Amino acid sequence: MVEKVYVTYNEVHKLCQASADQILNEFKPNLMIAIGGGGYVPARILRSFLKRPSAPNIPIQAIGLSLYEQLPSTKPSDPVETPGTKVTRTQWLDLSSLEMTNLVGKNILIVDEVDDTRTTLEYAVRELQKDVETAAHKLGSKGKTQFSIFVLHNKDKTKKGHLPQDMMDDGRYLAARTVSDVWICYPWEATDIDEHDKLAASQARY
């Protein structure tokens, strides 16, 4: 049976808060790209902690990637999902608009909720790098675009996907918390938030 861990909004908020100084001081992001749907809420919370007096808010753009597949369950109200094998784009940046030119030469922070198999993160970094290189070529720009990653949770397991070695060597990957290979239930996935919080309160903290 899959072990489930229930995470509350309060916990997500505190994980973002605890990570903000390191992100700001080491990654120095000019822009965030949230991977939907799990990266949207952490990115928005994080933006509040990255805001500095007299400085503008860090912009957030969004991409949508899907990897998980729902498995049959004996309880319709308690579905279980498992990582799939193919990443599907459900939303992407508009390559014909200013969105891509705004990425060139920037420090870009990719935000997601969990690093499970690392397949989604690998896909996001690889494809965004390709698109930025194309945009830079069109602009004739030689400005360096640097990607970094923030996730709430990293699962301590063998990864199927791989991130650029220079990113890992430079420490441009940050997980607020590393956990065992459990199924993490985030509050934005809940259809009954009161029940979700009750389950979170009753479990041993991960």
Side-chain angles (χ1 to χ4, degrees), residues 9-28:
Y9 279 114
N10 193 300
E11 289 170 323
V12 171
H13 198 95
K14 290 181 177 179
L15 289 175
C16 291
Q17 182 178 20
S19 304
D21 282 346
Q22 183 177 348
I23 291 170
L24 193 64
N25 295 328
E26 297 181 13
F27 300 168
K28 299 178 173 60

Side-chain angles (χ1 to χ4, degrees), residues 118-190:
R118 198 162 284 176
T119 306
T120 300
L121 289 172
E122 177 189 46
Y123 181 94
V125 172
R126 183 182 68 242
E127 296 302 309
L128 286 168
Q129 283 179 329
K130 286 181 184 177
D131 291 343
V132 167
E133 287 170 4
T134 299
H137 180 73
K138 289 181 179 178
L139 291 170
S141 173
K142 296 183 179 180
K144 183 179 180 181
T145 301
Q146 187 161 269
F147 290 93
S148 55
I149 288 174
F150 171 69
V151 295
L152 296 173
H153 298 98
N154 170 46
K155 293 188 181 183
D156 188 11
K157 61 190 286 186
T158 301
K159 306 296 187 183
K160 295 180 180 178
H162 302 280
L163 296 172
Q165 193 58 48
D166 66 315
M167 174 183 284
M168 306 306 288
D169 291 343
D170 294 346
R172 289 183 281 116
Y173 171 94
L174 175 63
R177 184 163 293 174
T178 295
V179 298
S180 59
D181 189 14
V182 296
W183 184 259
I184 305 174
C185 301
Y186 291 98
W188 46 84
E189 299 166 343

